[in-house]
Amino acid sequence: MEILAFGVQADEKPMLEAAFAGLHEVRCLDVFLTEDTAPIAAGYEVVSSSVNADLNGRVLRILAAGGTRMIAQRSTGFNNIDLDVARQLGLTVSRVSYYSPYSVAEFAWTLAMTVNRRIVRAASRTRDFDFRLDGLMGRDMHGRTVGVLGTGKIGEAFTRIAHGHGMHLLGWDVARNPACVELGMKYVEKELFASSDLISLHVPLLESTRHLVDAAALRLMKDDAILVNSSRGGLIDTEALVAELRAGRFTGVGLDVYEAEAGIFFVDRSLETVADDTLARLVTFPHVVVTSHQAYYTTDAVSQIIDTTAANVADYLAGRHSENTLVPDPPPPP
């Protein structure tokens, strides 16, 4: 059987082909799965999508009409998939429920330190042989307070990094993580925004968490706080964030995700005029660093994602369900 994989990065392609070698052929496309590209999948029973695919009801109907019966998404998040329509169409949908939490946690810490120590500005200067220190002063993280929104596997890994740097730990989540409590984390509500010197987001994007960091939350934050988001762009009200930045607030902001990133991230737009005024304004602030959803992008994490995707396809062909199966509904925990 030949599998059609959308949104495959150049580094990812040989790993994806190797994972299915001797079992199935894989046709890799660098274009993302959208309403415009979905007709390409006609005749493919199994389609693999990337995190920036747009699997709304119209796309799913096009896929189903073309003979697709299984969608294997190569990511943990699935807010881009209309699961109700997938059920109506009788499609099988899977995701990758787990991969290296260290990839994202380490990148989030890197973003925090990058804006704190003005690394981008410093590197840009030294390329021009400008070795002044003016405007490059940062702060020690030791002894300061970190607020971690979401203390699952990735949040816990980030907490351990912050703890290793001697920070005081505040957390927010629907359930407490005993490992974080053991490290000394205090779970709080709105106090987290007001008390934290560094805030890092590690919660999934749900209707209940959309714009979790809204205008009110941003106003509660310290003027010299650092904000990092390596989870999902929709967690932050970007318009409200830009308004605060224009007012001269925050020491730094590190964003690996953006709420309107679909159709922009993972693509070379350097020769085009960017129509997104909010994103264009964001990247002009000297204390803001925007990266292109690369926190997960390590050989370790991508290998796990691809291996799990291959296992999800094998489960589908064998008629099995696992914790990675979204549609039909996943089996209850043992």
Side-chain angles (χ1 to χ4, degrees), residues 48-72:
S48 179
S49 58
S50 60
V51 65
N52 263 4
D54 182 5
L55 289 161
N56 60 45
R58 294 187 301 275
V59 172
L60 293 175
R61 290 186 180 94
I62 293 171
L63 292 175
T68 297
R69 305 311 306 157
M70 193 264 182
I71 298 167

Side-chain angles (χ1 to χ4, degrees), residues 13-334:
K13 181 178 179 181
M15 302 167 72
L16 195 58
E17 291 172 339
F20 286 99
L23 300 172
H24 308 288
E25 295 292 325
V26 181
R27 180 186 174 193
C28 296
L29 304 178
D30 58 2
V31 298
F32 298 105
L33 180 51
T34 65
E35 191 170 352
D36 291 332
T37 61
I40 301 173
Y44 288 90
E45 181 180 353
V46 176
V47 167
S48 179
S49 58
S50 60
V51 65
N52 263 4
D54 182 5
L55 289 161
N56 60 45
R58 294 187 301 275
V59 172
L60 293 175
R61 290 186 180 94
I62 293 171
L63 292 175
T68 297
R69 305 311 306 157
M70 193 264 182
I71 298 167
Q73 176 135 302
R74 304 187 307 280
S75 73
T76 297
F78 53 91
N79 55 286
N80 60 320
I81 308 174
D82 190 327
L83 299 181
D84 290 334
V85 173
R87 290 187 187 93
Q88 295 168 14
L89 296 170
L91 297 173
T92 295
V93 181
S94 69
R95 64 160 177 161
V96 177
S97 58
Y98 174 86
Y99 61 85
S100 169
Y102 310 108
S103 60
V104 179
E106 291 171 3
F107 193 85
W109 184 261
T110 300
L111 275 179
M113 294 306 98
T114 297
V115 296
N116 176 39
R117 302 307 301 269
R118 312 291 193 248
I119 299 300
V120 173
R121 180 184 295 179
S124 177
R125 282 185 183 180
T126 55
R127 284 182 179 273
D128 293 329
F129 294 95
D130 178 354
F131 298 100
R132 293 172 300 160
L133 297 183
D134 297 346
L136 301 182
M137 185 174 289
R139 298 181 295 173
D140 290 2
M141 287 293 101
H142 185 276
R144 286 188 161 82
T145 299
V146 63
V148 184
L149 280 83
T151 55
K153 293 182 176 66
I154 296 173
E156 179 187 332
F158 183 87
T159 298
R160 292 186 181 279
I161 295 172
H163 178 263
H165 283 76
M167 299 193 76
H168 302 296
L169 310 175
L170 296 179
W172 177 92
D173 209 325
V174 293
R176 298 187 178 194
N177 184 332
C180 292
V181 173
E182 188 175 342
L183 291 172
M185 174 172 279
K186 177 184 177 183
Y187 279 84
V188 295
E189 295 294 329
K190 290 185 178 180
E191 178 189 340
L192 184 146
F193 291 102
S195 302
S196 298
D197 300 292
L198 164 62
I199 293 176
S200 191
L201 309 183
H202 301 287
V203 299
L205 180 59
L206 308 169
E207 282 307 310
S208 59
T209 60
R210 184 174 297 278
H211 286 184
L212 179 66
V213 183
D214 58 10
L218 290 165
R219 285 194 295 268
L220 287 174
M221 290 174 59
K222 296 180 179 181
D223 288 343
D224 60 355
I226 293 171
L227 176 63
V228 171
N229 187 9
S230 58
S231 185
R232 288 292 183 268
L235 298 175
I236 297 177
D237 182 338
T238 315
E239 293 285 353
L241 175 60
V242 168
E244 296 300 314
L245 290 168
R246 290 181 64 187
R249 300 191 64 221
F250 308 139
T251 287
V253 174
L255 303 175
D256 185 51
V257 289
Y258 172 60
E259 61 180 325
E261 69 182 55
I264 300 176
F265 280 22
F266 303 133
V267 179
D268 182 3
R269 303 290 187 189
S270 60
L271 299 179
E272 303 174 17
T273 299
V274 177
D276 190 319
D277 291 338
T278 303
L279 178 60
R281 183 175 292 276
L282 262 181
V283 299
T284 63
F285 291 106
H287 55 316
V288 174
V289 171
V290 178
T291 53
S292 53
H293 207 140
Q294 70 181 81
Y296 77 98
Y297 207 54
T298 67
T299 55
D300 310 82
V302 174
S303 293
Q304 289 176 310
I305 289 169
I306 289 174
D307 288 346
T308 301
T309 299
N312 289 342
V313 173
D315 283 343
Y316 160 74
L317 294 174
R320 297 187 299 260
H321 296 165
S322 74
E323 70 276 9
N324 297 317
T325 308
L326 296 170
V327 179
D329 293 330

